[in-house]
Amino acid sequence: MKLQSSYIYLRDLHFHAYHGVEPQERKVGNDYLLSLRLQYPIDAAMLSDNVLDTVNYADVYRIAEQEMQVPSNLLERVAYRMADRIFRRFAFVEAVDIQLTKLNPPMGTNQGGAGVEVHLINDKT
C-alpha cells in the first residue's frame, strides 16, 4: 500500500470575534465559521498509533482560537496568521486550506455569509 495524500481537518468551528473595517464590527463583533484542512504525510502515525507522529487537532484548534482573538481589518490577514503559525509549529505540514466565513457581514443581508478561502503551501517542506 502506498499513501498518496493525507489530511487532518477541523470543520465548522464557531467563534465570536472582532474583525472588520467598520467601527461597529470592532465594537460588537460578529460570528464566524472556520474550517481548516492540513496536508501532511500521516504514514508514520498510521503505523505507530502515537500522537507524537501526527498533527494534534487540539494544538491546531488552540492556534486558530488564539488568532481569532486578535482583531484584524481583513479575514485574509487572519487566515495568513493561522497558516503561518501552523507551518512554524508543524514544519512537516505541506499545505493548509482555510475557509473563514463572517456569518452576518454588514452588507444589508442577514443570511449566508462572506469570507475567504485560501490554499497555502509550505515552501519549506
Side-chain angles (χ1 to χ4, degrees):
M1 208 177 335
K2 181 180 178 184
L3 180 65
Q4 184 171 358
S5 61
S6 50
Y7 306 87
I8 67 153
Y9 62 87
L10 287 84
R11 190 173 292 151
D12 298 335
L13 305 174
H14 292 260
F15 294 97
H16 188 83
Y18 299 87
H19 308 302
V21 296
E22 300 295 328
Q24 188 69 5
E25 294 178 283
R26 293 294 186 102
K27 185 176 180 179
V28 300
N30 208 318
D31 293 322
Y32 294 85
L33 195 60
L34 172 68
S35 293
L36 301 110
R37 186 173 83 149
L38 285 60
Q39 181 179 10
Y40 72 100
I42 68 167
D43 45 349
M46 289 171 33
L47 298 173
S48 73
D49 198 28
N50 187 331
V51 72
L52 297 176
D53 290 330
T54 192
V55 175
N56 186 316
Y57 307 132
D59 291 343
V60 175
Y61 178 80
R62 277 190 287 280
I63 290 170
E65 181 180 43
Q66 290 167 0
E67 291 304 329
M68 287 300 292
Q69 292 175 7
V70 178
S72 293
N73 289 328
L74 302 176
L75 298 182
E76 292 88 334
R77 179 69 181 151
V78 180
Y80 172 83
R81 286 195 325 259
M82 279 183 205
D84 183 56
R85 284 191 57 196
I86 289 167
F87 288 145
R88 284 189 285 119
R89 169 69 176 83
F90 302 102
F92 53 89
V93 169
E94 299 164 355
V96 175
D97 294 307
I98 298 174
Q99 185 177 33
L100 180 55
T101 305
K102 184 180 293 189
L103 294 178
N104 296 299
M107 57 184 196
T109 182
N110 63 356
Q111 297 181 14
V116 297
E117 186 171 337
V118 297
H119 174 75
L120 299 163
I121 297 171
N122 186 353
D123 55 3
K124 294 179 179 53
T125 57

